[in-house]
Structures are given as structure tokens and as C-alpha cells.
Amino acid sequence: MIQKPKGTKDLLPEESYKWQEVENIVKKIFDSYNFKEIRVPVFEHTELFQRGVGETTDVVQKEMYTFDDKGGRSITLRPEGTAGVVRAYLENGMGSMPSPVKLWYNMAMYRYENVQKGRLREFHQIGAELIGSSSYLADVDTILMGNQIFEDLKLENIKLRLNSIGCPKCREEYQKILRNFLSKNLDKYCDTCKSRFEKNPMRILDCKESKCKKLNENAPKMIDYLCDECKEHFENVKSMLKNAGLDYEIDSTIVRGLDYYTKTVFEFVDETTELTVLGGGRYDGLVEEFGGPKTPAIGFAVGVERLMDMYKNKTEETKPDLYILSVGNKENQKAIELSKNLRKKGYVIEKDICERSFNAQMKYSNKINAKYLLVIGENELEMEKAKIKNMQTGNETEVKLNLEEISKVIKD
Ligand code: HAM
């Protein structure tokens, strides 16, 4: 038997029902902040991610699903959503829309990762991008919107971790100081860290190897070297979040794994598993990097699989409102007519599609937990009347075989 590729998941009906419930709750939050949905292609030109996400990142260096298409173009399955959304923003002239432009998405992502708990090769992100505001108020609204997801899903043991990684100006200064610190023990770091020393020394700070973590203990922190503008911005974000009653922890090891970030970065972490469920931050240079005008932006993405692992609510699957039992040609015709019209009215209707016997249909309607049962036999057809049975109470009600009368009984 052919099996699914490693790092992918089948979502069976029981679970997809829960996903829909969560997706609907999150969509309502986005609606309330007036974010609009965007859908972008599953694949893009590889260059988009090389330039957007960054050549030195793990995502670009090790994790992309990249191939040449039949026309010889290098194509990559999207490993994240921000680069594609910003490309679409520019390509579709969304810069001329009322600013800021607020977009959300719910899309599958692809990363060739070491598969483990909470780490898949095909996974889903629900994300939001706010393009066109440099104000700390945009950071605050974005973070509050992210927090609302956990609140409305009633998820606990979630911690907000916050950091600022400055702007290119103050970061350059800081990187010199950091390199100076790292160079003293560079030979003791792991090979990945060594390879990041020149181009991306800040990533060394979020290495998960214990020996590197230990060496990093006294490393200089970016937040201590922010320029005045970045410092003021971060102070404002912190005080507004505090005023809004949102607890956070400053975590100077958050540098994020994607190169486009500037200033505020944040993660909502599941304290039980220590997995980051939501990650995001400001990316004030990305629109310009893709050839657009200088346009500040901020956003986040939630890992849906990780979110679902936390969402333990019992969701009841939809039960059919009515099973229409019929045997025979004329009876089936009536069942088809009634079910078509009742379905149009929004009822969930089941009927025979296997040419089963009367008894087999009775058994089946029980198995699928139909709320009501309507039997159409020769007599019923002739009289244009039938009995609807409430399958839970056993009560029977006689109705005319028309939409109004049937709806009246099953509508509760
Ligand atoms: P990210 O931190 O790479 O950020 O991913 C966001 C979230 O996606 C993570 O916190 C995690 O929950 C989930 N995730 C990432 N990789 C995997 C995986 N292999 N398996 C399961 N879940 C995973 C971004 O992608 C940015 N584009 C977020 C953003 C939007 N920043 C600004 N705007």
C-alpha cells in the first residue's frame, strides 16, 4: 500500500470538523479588525524566498522544496506566507488602496524539516499582514489580535515573548559588538553557528545546542544597543501592551528564523510543550526589497497543527436532520425531489443511494444518528402523507409530503 509522504498528515472528518470550528473563530477575529482574506499561489519563483526570507536562513539553505519546472524555471513550494503576500501586494498595485492594507490567509506551507512533534513538512499557517504603518500602535493591535485567538479559543498556558531586533542602522553597530564577543570562543561553537558568524551572527543567539546556549549566556543583547528611534518604538509597544493588560516576557534570544524582521518580534509559546504556536514581527524593509516603495509592515502566523494540538474542545459532528427512506422507483423519485428541496433550505438530508432494502436502510439511518426518519412507501405516495419519527423520543408526527410540513417538524 502506498503511504503518505513523511511529515504530512491526513485530516479525517472528525478532526477537520474541529479545524473548521477553529478557523471560523479566527476568521471572526480578523473580520472584527477589518482584515481581508488573500490567497496566493502554492509555488513561487525561488528567488522570491531567497531575497525575502534570506539566503543565510535555515529555511532557504536547507528546507525548501525547490525544483525546475518543465520550462527550466526554478520554482519553490511556499515555506511561509509573508513573501508571497508582499509580492501580491506589489504586483496587484495594492499600495494605492487605503493604507494600511490588512490581509489574512490560511494556507498550507512546505518545509523539508526534521520531522518531530509539532514539526511537519506540510503544515498550515493562519497569518495576518498589516502593510503600511510604522506606528507602534500597529504593533500593539497586531499582537492583541494574535492574543485574541488564544483568548477566544480559551487556550491557557500561553506566554507572549517579546523582543526588539532593531533597524538595519542600530543592528549593524550591535553586530560588530556581538561578533567581537563571539569571536573569543568561536572555535567552541557548533558548525552551524560558525557558518553564521559573518553573515548572520544574531542567529547564533537562538541556537538550541546546549554548548552554544551556554557560551551565549553573557552575550550582549540587542535591546541594550537600540538606536533612539527603535528604543522609543519598543518602549511604546511595551507600555501600551501593559496598559491593555497583556502580560509578556522580554526574551532577548528571540531573533526569529527569517531575515526580513526589524524592530518588534514576538512569539506566543505553549508553556507545556515549549513550542512556538504563533510567531511574527515587523518587517519594514521587505516591500522595498521586492522593488516597492519604502513601506513599513508587521504580521504574524499561527501554526494551525500546533494550535489544534492545544484545542481539546469536544466538537460534535453534524448529524443528519432527516433520513428519507424509500424503496422502489416512484418512491425514490419522491425522495429525490424532497431531499433536493430540503437541502436547498439548508437541512442535512440523507437518503438511499445504494438501493438498499427497507431493513438495511432502517439500520443505516440509526448508525448515522439521523435525528428524524421519514418513510415513503406506496401508501404514503398515494395519500401524499407520511409519518416523521423523532429517532430519539420515538414520537411520530403525520405530515403532508410537502416542504412546509416536513420543515415544520424537523426545524428544531
Ligand atoms: P515562522 O515562525 O517561521 O514565521 O512560522 C510561524 C508558525 O508556523 C510557527 O510559530 C509554528 O507554529 C508554525 N510552523 C513553522 N514551521 C512549522 C513546521 N515545520 N511544522 C509545523 N508548524 C510549523 C513565519 O512563517 C512568518 N511568515 C510569520 C510572519 C507573518 N511574520 C510576519 N508576518
Side-chain angles (χ1 to χ4, degrees):
M1 198 175 46
I2 299 171
Q3 296 187 331
K4 62 184 181 310
K6 191 174 170 186
T8 64
K9 258 176 103 169
D10 297 316
L11 208 61
L12 304 185
E14 193 187 317
E15 229 184 318
S16 67
Y17 200 75
K18 270 192 176 180
W19 276 54
Q20 284 175 17
E21 188 172 272
V22 166
E23 286 165 349
N24 287 337
I25 293 172
V26 179
K27 183 182 176 305
K28 272 199 190 129
I29 298 170
F30 289 151
D31 285 346
S32 73
Y33 279 80
N34 203 24
F35 276 62
K36 313 282 184 203
E37 188 184 359
I38 184 166
R39 300 184 192 196
V40 294
V42 159
F43 57 85
E44 299 271 2
H45 293 292
T46 302
E47 193 194 346
L48 184 85
F49 302 114
Q50 285 169 336
R51 278 184 36 201
V53 173
E55 291 278 10
T56 61
T57 58
D58 277 353
V59 171
V60 169
Q61 282 185 347
K62 304 181 196 160
E63 296 168 2
M64 294 206 302
Y65 279 90
T66 298
F67 57 94
D68 284 347
D69 71 6
K70 288 188 168 50
R73 303 166 199 92
S74 181
I75 293 293
T76 293
L77 299 187
R78 61 176 174 232
E80 61 100 51
T82 311
V85 169
V86 170
R87 179 207 45 74
Y89 166 89
L90 283 170
E91 196 167 338
N92 295 287
M94 294 173 91
S96 62
M97 287 166 60
S99 175
V101 171
K102 300 189 284 186
L103 302 166
W104 71 268
Y105 49 85
N106 179 2
M107 307 191 293
M109 307 292 166
Y110 301 86
R111 295 185 193 175
Y112 192 80
E113 300 228 43
N114 286 327
V115 177
Q116 47 189 280
K117 190 168 165 41
R119 202 166 283 281
L120 294 157
R121 292 185 176 165
E122 183 190 60
F123 60 98
H124 297 77
Q125 284 185 349
I126 298 182
E129 313 293 351
L130 189 162
I131 307 172
S133 170
S134 60
S135 167
Y136 69 93
L137 291 173
D139 304 34
V140 173
D141 249 28
T142 306
I143 294 171
L144 287 176
M145 185 166 79
N147 182 61
Q148 196 68 38
I149 296 175
F150 300 105
E151 265 188 37
D152 286 5
L153 293 175
K154 301 188 173 53
L155 301 181
E156 283 165 4
N157 295 327
I158 279 279
K159 184 102 209 156
L160 166 60
R161 297 193 180 149
L162 204 60
N163 194 19
S164 173
I165 55 168
C167 62
K169 203 173 65 186
C170 53
R171 202 181 309 160
E172 205 178 305
E173 270 309 298
Y174 165 70
Q175 284 187 342
K176 275 188 207 152
I177 295 160
L178 181 62
R179 273 199 204 92
N180 190 25
F181 167 87
L182 295 169
S183 62
K184 290 177 192 142
N185 284 311
L186 193 60
D187 52 328
K188 300 195 183 109
Y189 278 90
C190 71
D191 288 345
T192 313
C193 284
K194 279 181 198 145
S195 72
R196 285 176 169 154
F197 179 76
E198 276 308 327
K199 283 199 169 147
N200 205 345
M202 278 172 77
R203 284 302 312 283
I204 295 178
L205 298 181
D206 94 326
C207 181
K208 302 286 179 275
E209 286 230 10
S210 49
K211 65 172 179 185
C212 304
K213 266 184 162 174
K214 187 129 193 68
L215 289 165
N216 285 337
E217 266 168 14
N218 295 317
K221 294 175 179 158
M222 180 72 235
I223 36 172
D224 295 331
Y225 295 89
L226 295 176
C227 64
D228 288 346
E229 192 203 319
C230 289
K231 200 171 175 175
E232 193 187 335
H233 185 96
F234 196 47
E235 290 305 320
N236 282 331
V237 172
K238 286 192 296 182
S239 72
M240 272 296 176
L241 286 178
K242 209 172 197 171
N243 291 342
L246 188 55
D247 276 345
Y248 58 81
E249 198 175 83
I250 301 297
D251 182 345
S252 58
T253 68
I254 298 181
V255 296
R256 311 277 302 129
L258 315 164
D259 274 358
Y260 47 63
Y261 288 112
T262 52
K263 292 187 174 169
T264 317
V265 286
F266 53 93
E267 294 184 347
F268 284 83
V269 179
D270 176 349
E271 288 191 297
T272 325
T273 59
E274 276 295 311
L275 283 171
T276 302
V277 185
L278 180 155
R282 198 161 255 296
Y283 50 95
D284 288 346
L286 189 59
V287 177
E288 221 177 348
E289 172 65 35
F290 286 165
K294 203 168 164 19
T295 312
I298 181 165
F300 66 74
V302 189
V304 185
E305 283 79 2
R306 293 186 188 182
L307 191 69
M308 294 311 302
D309 280 347
M310 298 186 72
Y311 188 70
K312 302 286 184 229
N313 267 25
K314 260 208 156 7
T315 310
E316 280 215 18
E317 262 184 71
T318 330
K319 289 180 188 160
D321 293 307
L322 178 70
Y323 185 92
I324 303 179
L325 191 157
S326 62
V327 182
N329 198 23
K330 280 194 186 137
E331 290 82 351
N332 285 340
Q333 240 170 48
K334 189 72 184 171
I336 288 172
E337 176 203 315
L338 283 174
S339 54
K340 177 171 175 245
N341 291 326
L342 285 163
R343 283 168 178 156
K344 262 198 196 163
K345 280 189 156 236
Y347 294 108
V348 181
I349 308 296
E350 280 271 9
K351 59 182 275 302
D352 179 50
I353 40 174
C354 302
E355 298 182 55
R356 285 188 173 119
S357 69
F358 183 96
N359 282 343
Q361 287 191 50
M362 281 297 275
K363 266 195 199 150
Y364 179 70
S365 66
N366 260 312
K367 272 193 200 157
I368 60 170
N369 294 317
K371 293 183 207 156
Y372 287 92
L373 173 74
L374 173 77
V375 180
I376 304 176
E378 223 174 300
N379 274 347
E380 284 81 2
L381 263 190
E382 209 172 291
M383 310 294 291
E384 280 285 313
K385 273 185 186 168
K387 283 190 177 135
I388 296 187
K389 183 175 176 182
N390 181 322
M391 300 289 273
Q392 225 174 13
T393 61
N395 290 346
E396 290 188 324
T397 318
E398 195 171 66
V399 292
K400 283 193 186 143
L401 281 185
N402 64 39
L403 272 193
E404 287 67 35
E405 295 224 349
I406 298 172
S407 307
K408 223 188 268 171
V409 179
I410 66 173
K411 76 166 176 251
D412 60 339

